[in-house]
């Protein structure tokens, strides 16, 4: 497959020209992720070091034609998001990610703000099997909440509302996660069923979704990774 992972057992080693040629030939016919998903509202945070203490961020309009197997590419009718535990991470985190970050900022008190993503958690790090699939962050307050697979349960993590297990989950199952923020209230629904609601307020909020592994080489071997398949994603305000 276009996104075969043999080259990433140590992503810092050189790859032979033959292997690169094979991968390129396999990927020629692949669609860019932006042809399957509406990526206009987003940038992409990667697990690659930018040389300045942060990570490489793919912004618009470059994201419209960005395709980088096995981290971010199309396969069949979904986009693969993959992050290795030995990847670089943002300054505010200990863990790597391949994750869409909404470009718009908004307030919990205004509008009707919705993230809806249909995705499947496919692979988890062995020793710390946790991957965030959807979350809200704030420029001023940091992490607001997460919807995370803490295997084997889909769990909400919130500094205000606490942590709550929402449902049991089998790896590979397709799941629709919706987060709604309106009137200083956050509501999380899974597969159309409202699961949790709480009050929380703030400004400069934005949605994120992809594969944000909750592990690093302190917990797992470097070849361990988290992988999420995304079938659809949308934001509205």
């Amino acid at each position: 497959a276009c996104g075969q992972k043999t080259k990433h057992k140590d992503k810092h080693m050189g790859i032979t020209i033959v292997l690169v040629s094979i991968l390129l030939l396999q990927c020629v016919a692949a669609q860019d992720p932006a042809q399957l998903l509406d990526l206009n509202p987003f940038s992409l945070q990667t697990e690659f070091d930018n040389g300045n203490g942060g990570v490489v961020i793919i912004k618009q309009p470059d994201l419209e034609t960005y395709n980088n197997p096995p981290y971010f590419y199309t396969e069949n009718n979904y986009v693969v998001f993959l992050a290795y535990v030995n990847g670089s991470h943002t300054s505010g985190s200990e863990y790597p990610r391949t994750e869409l970050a909404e470009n718009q900022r908004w307030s919990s008190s205004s509008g009707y703000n919705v993230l809806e993503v249909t995705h499947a958690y496919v692979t988890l790090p062995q020793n710390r099997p946790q991957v965030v699939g959807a979350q809200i962050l704030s420029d001023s307050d940091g992490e607001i909440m997460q919807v995370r697979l803490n295997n084997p349960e889909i769990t909400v993590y919130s500094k205000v509302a606490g942590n709550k297990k929402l449902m049991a989950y089998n790896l590979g199952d397709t799941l629709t996660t919706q987060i709604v923020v309106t009137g200083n209230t956050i509501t999380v629904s899974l597969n159309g069923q409202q699961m949790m609601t709480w009050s929380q307020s703030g400004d400069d909020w934005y949605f994120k979704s992809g594969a944000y592994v909750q592990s690093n080489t302190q917990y797992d071997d470097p070849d361990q990774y988290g992988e999420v398949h995304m079938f659809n994603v949308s934001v509205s305000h």
Side-chain angles (χ1 to χ4, degrees):
C2 176
Q4 63 177 306
K5 304 174 185 65
T6 52
K7 66 176 256 190
H8 294 86
K9 291 181 179 179
D10 186 342
K11 63 184 177 57
H12 300 295
M13 293 179 61
I15 309 167
T16 65
I17 294 176
V18 173
L19 179 54
V20 171
S21 299
I22 292 172
L23 287 169
L24 288 174
L25 285 172
Q26 289 173 334
C27 295
V28 165
Q31 290 180 300
D32 293 326
Q35 294 178 268
L36 286 182
L37 303 176
D38 180 8
L39 299 182
N40 285 310
F42 301 104
S43 300
L44 181 73
Q45 292 183 330
T46 74
E47 63 165 69
F48 307 125
D49 190 347
N50 67 3
N52 296 308
V55 298
V56 173
I57 298 175
I58 310 301
K59 300 179 179 181
Q60 296 292 355
D62 294 337
L63 185 55
E64 290 299 302
T65 55
Y66 184 72
N67 188 345
N68 189 10
Y71 305 99
F72 182 70
Y73 69 101
T74 60
E75 186 79 32
N76 300 317
N77 62 333
Y78 53 81
V79 174
V80 176
F81 290 73
L82 185 146
Y84 276 83
V85 300
N86 68 338
S88 298
H89 54 80
T90 60
S91 59
S93 174
E94 301 177 4
Y95 308 120
R97 72 189 81 206
T98 300
E99 188 179 41
L100 297 174
E102 186 184 15
N103 297 320
Q104 183 175 340
R105 301 298 187 262
W106 39 273
S107 170
S108 63
S109 62
S110 63
Y112 191 81
N113 311 286
V114 183
L115 167 70
E116 185 167 295
V117 55
T118 300
H119 50 178
Y121 300 86
V122 176
T123 305
L124 305 174
Q126 182 176 5
N127 296 331
R128 205 161 192 262
Q130 303 177 32
V131 173
V132 176
Q135 60 175 328
I136 301 173
L137 266 74
S138 166
D139 288 333
S140 53
D141 298 323
E143 178 188 304
I144 302 301
M145 59 82 68
Q146 297 178 342
V147 181
R148 181 194 304 183
L149 174 58
N150 188 355
N151 201 40
E153 291 97 11
I154 301 295
T155 304
V156 162
Y157 285 76
S158 166
K159 295 177 182 177
V160 171
N163 305 334
K164 181 180 178 181
K165 297 176 182 179
L166 302 186
M167 63 176 285
Y169 179 82
N170 296 316
L171 280 180
D173 284 355
T174 302
L175 177 72
T176 296
T177 300
Q178 184 189 70
I179 305 172
V180 176
V181 181
T182 187
N184 295 323
T185 300
I186 301 175
T187 301
V188 176
S189 299
L190 300 176
N191 291 334
Q193 181 178 354
Q194 183 174 311
M195 307 295 288
M196 185 175 179
T197 299
W198 69 96
S199 297
Q200 190 167 350
S201 62
D203 297 312
D204 302 318
W205 288 13
Y206 59 101
F207 291 119
K208 302 186 75 178
S209 186
Y212 176 27
V213 297
Q214 300 297 288
S215 186
N216 53 35
T217 52
Q218 178 181 347
Y219 303 101
D220 278 286
D221 291 336
D223 63 351
Q224 294 295 298
Y225 60 91
E227 181 175 345
V228 174
H229 296 170
M230 186 179 292
F231 298 87
N232 191 46
V233 63
S234 64
V235 292
S236 59
H237 299 284

